[in-house]
Amino acid sequence: MKNNTNNSLFSLNGNPSLSTVTPMSLQHLLAMIVGNVLPALVLSGAIGFDTEQRILLVQASMFIAAIGTFLQSTPIFGVGAKLPVVIGVSFAYIPTILAIGGQYGIGAILGAQVVGGVTAFIVGMFIEKIRKFFPPMVAGTVVFTIGLSLYRVAVNYMAGGFQPTDPRYGGLVYWGISILTLIVVLLCNMFGKGYIKLAAILIGIGVGYIASLIANIVTFESISSAAWFSLPSILPYKLEFPIAAAISMAVMYVVNSVQAVGDLSGTTVGGMDREASDKELSGGIKANGIVSIIGSFIGALPTATYSQNVGIVAMTKVVSLKVFRLTALLILIAGLIPKFGAVMTSIPQAVIGGATISVFAQITMTGMRLIVQDEMSVRNTTIVGLGIALGMGITQIPKEGLQYLPDWFNMVFASSPVILATVVVFVLNILLPKKSLSQEEAERAAMDKK
């Protein structure tokens, strides 16, 4: 009987016992929880949210992740992949939401997110036809640029997170705690096994938090005043729809939909030794779009499929949807407890910086691995190089260098390197002709003779 229970873990519709499912669900929870919360903390610090607003943002992030994960395992009217997939708030959107939030505020982020969600739903409907326009080289350049653009955020947080009223910014206390956190994350990730490896970031944050308590840079006021139970607020912010913000978010959702294809395919290949069907890809992407729209109305940030959980599926081969339904329930419970959010928001920014810089480095290297899946020909390296150069470069020049360009252009293309890099590699990949293998060989031979 026990063998039958364990075997049911390796079947989508298997019905293993609760005692068998619980450890696997906790494993997935540990892998996603920090990544799901940190974007809310990063945005809160950047746009000056007060403690109550930060708690609400964390709570909404957990709540929407629970909805998304459940929908992927239990499709409704064709929305959902019916695959062992975890959805949560994504780091990939941070450069874009920071730019939108800095100029327009949280209402514009959530309004643009509605537009992005609709875009993702449309992409899901036609993913089979448009997928060919986003080969690994294009998708990889976008992911690579996202990683590069996040380094400044992480290092600033390692220094303490700039606040005009904090004279300790850049001090040895902040740097020491952030480096300690980073070292613990690296040690757990490199030498840990099982749960220790999966929870490397969580353990690093725990050690950094203890060090912060010793250094007396943690306040508990928000924890003591937070409630034990609360439902997410409906429309906590008025939705706004600036055109430039909407365009930026729509582009990001198109790119993220292509990334979702990779995650969904990785799940089926790694966990079930087969390719994902068009129905599964379409349902998964449409689910992310619907979840993002719902998230806009409860104050949650943009969502995406979680690659780290795909890795767990590929490693364990556990694909029972019951595991992921329980995972969704555990995420939901955390989202209904404001004290959980208060504990998360009490984490000093130096600890967050030390924990996230390794995540951002992994995002960058993931992009690089995608890029080199395509042939590194002169054509392809030119496209990738120009995309990264223009995307990163336009955000490095003084504002005066763009003063004669319209505001909408600055918002869409100059506030975050990701959008311009995406547009450049997408357009060039379509316009520049691909050379045949014989042409490439002839050119190489001519170069060798020279």
Side-chain angles (χ1 to χ4, degrees):
M1 189 67 162
K2 185 177 180 181
N3 288 334
N4 290 337
T5 299
N6 288 336
N7 287 338
S8 63
L9 283 171
F10 309 109
S11 169
L12 274 181
N13 298 312
N15 188 30
S17 66
L18 185 61
S19 61
T20 304
V21 165
T22 300
M24 298 305 305
S25 298
L26 287 172
Q27 192 176 36
H28 281 284
L29 179 67
L30 285 175
M32 65 78 63
I33 194 166
V34 176
N36 190 62
V37 170
L38 288 180
L41 300 182
V42 171
L43 177 67
S44 297
I47 64 179
F49 267 10
D50 59 33
T51 301
E52 184 178 353
Q53 289 174 309
R54 295 176 75 193
I55 293 173
L56 289 175
L57 197 59
V58 170
Q59 185 183 4
S61 297
M62 297 302 294
F63 193 79
I64 202 63
I67 294 175
T69 301
F70 181 78
L71 188 59
Q72 290 288 25
S73 64
T74 313
I76 299 174
F77 300 119
V79 176
K82 199 176 183 180
L83 288 175
V85 175
V86 172
I87 275 189
V89 176
S90 174
F91 277 113
Y93 296 95
I94 288 181
T96 302
I97 64 176
L98 287 180
I100 295 173
Q103 184 161 345
Y104 299 111
I106 185 68
I109 293 175
L110 300 177
Q113 188 175 313
V114 173
V115 177
V118 172
T119 303
F121 191 89
I122 295 172
V123 170
M125 295 171 62
F126 300 100
I127 187 60
E128 183 182 5
K129 296 181 179 179
I130 66 174
R131 185 177 174 182
K132 62 183 179 181
F133 295 111
F134 292 90
M137 177 192 69
V138 174
T141 303
V142 176
V143 175
F144 186 81
T145 308
I146 289 171
L148 290 180
S149 66
L150 292 171
Y151 291 162
R152 183 176 180 180
V153 175
V155 175
N156 177 52
Y157 269 48
M158 291 178 75
F162 178 72
Q163 298 178 31
T165 58
D166 187 357
R168 294 176 295 185
Y169 175 73
L172 293 179
V173 171
Y174 286 147
W175 280 110
I177 289 173
S178 62
I179 292 172
L180 171 64
T181 303
L182 174 59
I183 290 173
V184 173
V185 171
L186 289 177
L187 289 176
C188 292
N189 196 36
M190 292 294 103
F191 304 105
K193 296 181 180 179
Y195 284 104
I196 292 178
K197 186 178 182 68
L198 288 171
I201 297 174
L202 191 62
I203 294 171
I205 288 177
V207 173
Y209 195 83
I210 293 171
S212 300
L213 290 173
I214 297 172
N216 196 31
I217 60 173
V218 180
T219 59
F220 297 101
E221 295 177 7
S222 61
I223 300 175
S224 59
S225 61
W228 279 103
F229 177 83
S230 176
L231 292 171
S233 302
I234 304 299
L235 282 176
Y237 305 99
K238 181 182 178 181
L239 301 184
E240 300 175 7
F241 299 90
I243 299 299
I247 293 173
S248 300
M249 197 69 84
V251 173
M252 284 304 303
Y253 268 87
V254 171
V255 174
N256 200 268
S257 296
V258 178
Q259 179 187 336
V261 171
D263 285 339
L264 295 169
S265 299
T267 298
T268 56
V269 171
M272 291 172 274
D273 298 319
R274 65 171 177 83
E275 291 290 339
S277 67
D278 291 337
K279 181 180 179 181
E280 289 169 335
L281 294 177
S282 177
I285 294 171
K286 287 192 289 186
N288 189 49
I290 293 295
V291 168
S292 291
I293 294 171
I294 295 172
S296 298
F297 289 92
I298 63 171
L301 298 176
T303 58
T305 51
Y306 271 12
S307 299
Q308 60 266 43
N309 294 88
V310 174
I312 295 175
V313 171
M315 179 180 66
T316 64
K317 306 295 183 181
V318 171
V319 297
S320 171
L321 296 178
K322 187 174 180 179
V323 172
F324 292 82
R325 288 164 186 154
L326 180 59
T327 301
L329 178 60
L330 295 174
I331 299 170
L332 177 63
I333 292 171
L336 295 175
I337 303 174
K339 278 195 181 295
F340 170 81
V343 171
M344 289 292 151
T345 59
S346 71
I347 300 172
Q349 292 183 339
V351 176
I352 296 172
T356 56
I357 193 163
S358 62
V359 177
F360 299 159
Q362 287 299 315
I363 291 173
T364 307
M365 298 314 296
T366 298
M368 184 175 291
R369 285 195 294 269
L370 282 170
I371 291 170
V372 298
Q373 284 183 20
D374 282 331
E375 181 189 9
M376 287 290 92
S377 62
V378 174
R379 171 191 181 272
N380 291 352
T381 54
T382 299
I383 292 172
V384 172
L386 280 176
I388 296 171
L390 291 172
M392 296 301 301
I394 200 167
T395 61
Q396 306 299 317
I397 65 173
K399 292 182 179 179
E400 289 76 12
L402 303 170
Q403 61 182 316
Y404 298 110
L405 296 173
D407 292 340
W408 67 265
F409 182 92
N410 288 329
M411 177 65 238
V412 175
F413 296 110
S415 59
S416 167
V418 180
I419 305 300
L420 184 57
T422 301
V423 172
V424 170
V425 296
F426 177 78
V427 173
L428 289 182
N429 184 57
I430 294 174
L431 295 181
L432 295 184
K434 293 183 179 180
K435 295 180 180 178
S436 65
L437 183 61
S438 58
Q439 287 177 310
E440 288 281 351
E441 291 175 346
E443 289 184 2
R444 290 196 190 102
M447 292 294 293
D448 290 340
K449 289 181 179 180
K450 291 181 179 179

